[in-house]
């Protein structure tokens, strides 16, 4: 089970980025159920983490505009297991998308300090 907290009416969850031979890094992310990808990180964070580059892709934004952004690869700890996922280098804050939540149950108590839970679907 993954625990998070509601901050400023945004559901947040911390994820751990695993780096070969280096210390793990924990990053607080906002859960964005309108984002169908796995994870976005600001370009500066992707650079700081030295995440491997995969390819450019066209991405659709909430205002229906299209941009080209870079995809990188990251190994994260998710529900006590390592997962290799694509990471879009874009935006100002880290976002968790619905691809990472696929096959999990998400529950959120929408109040300041409320509980965010991500758990296996029974």
């Amino acid at each position: 089970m993954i625990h998070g907290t509601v901050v400023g009416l945004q559901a947040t969850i911390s994820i751990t980025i695993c780096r070969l031979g280096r210390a793990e890094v924990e990053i607080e992310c906002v859960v964005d159920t309108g984002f169908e990808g796995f994870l976005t990180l600001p370009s500066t964070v992707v650079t700081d983490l030295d995440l491997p580059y995969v390819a450019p892709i066209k991405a659709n934004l909430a205002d229906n505009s299209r941009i080209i952004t870079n995809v990188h690869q990251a190994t994260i700890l998710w529900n006590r297991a390592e997962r290799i996922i694509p990471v879009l280098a874009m935006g100002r804050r880290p976002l968790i998308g619905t691809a990472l939540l696929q096959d999990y149950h998400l529950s959120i108590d929408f109040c300041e300090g409320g509980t965010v839970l991500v758990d296996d679907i029974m």
Side-chain angles (χ1 to χ4, degrees):
M1 181 179 296
I2 299 167
H3 296 263
T5 305
V6 173
V7 178
L9 293 181
Q10 294 182 325
T12 64
I13 296 172
S14 291
I15 62 164
T16 301
I17 307 282
C18 305
R19 303 185 306 161
L20 188 63
R22 294 184 279 176
E24 296 174 341
V25 175
E26 189 169 299
I27 298 176
E28 184 175 283
C29 303
V30 173
V31 177
D32 183 352
T33 59
F35 168 47
E36 296 175 347
F38 286 84
L39 179 68
T40 70
L41 293 174
S43 296
T44 54
V45 174
V46 169
T47 300
D48 289 347
L49 294 172
D50 197 24
L51 298 179
Y53 174 76
V54 176
I57 65 161
K58 292 179 182 175
N60 291 328
L61 302 180
D63 66 357
N64 207 29
S65 63
R66 296 189 80 168
I67 64 166
I68 295 176
T69 189
N70 292 324
V71 179
H72 294 260
Q73 180 177 294
T75 302
I76 67 168
L77 283 181
W78 183 255
N79 204 23
R80 297 179 305 278
E82 286 190 5
R83 289 184 64 179
I84 298 173
I85 63 167
V87 176
L88 302 182
M90 60 186 297
R92 294 178 293 134
R93 60 183 170 192
L95 299 175
I96 290 175
T98 55
L100 196 54
L101 299 170
Q102 185 174 9
D103 297 325
Y104 284 88
H105 174 82
L106 170 67
S107 95
I108 304 169
D109 295 329
F110 269 107
C111 59
E112 190 64 27
T115 300
V116 178
L117 294 175
V118 178
D119 201 3
D120 295 318
I121 295 174
M122 304 270 173

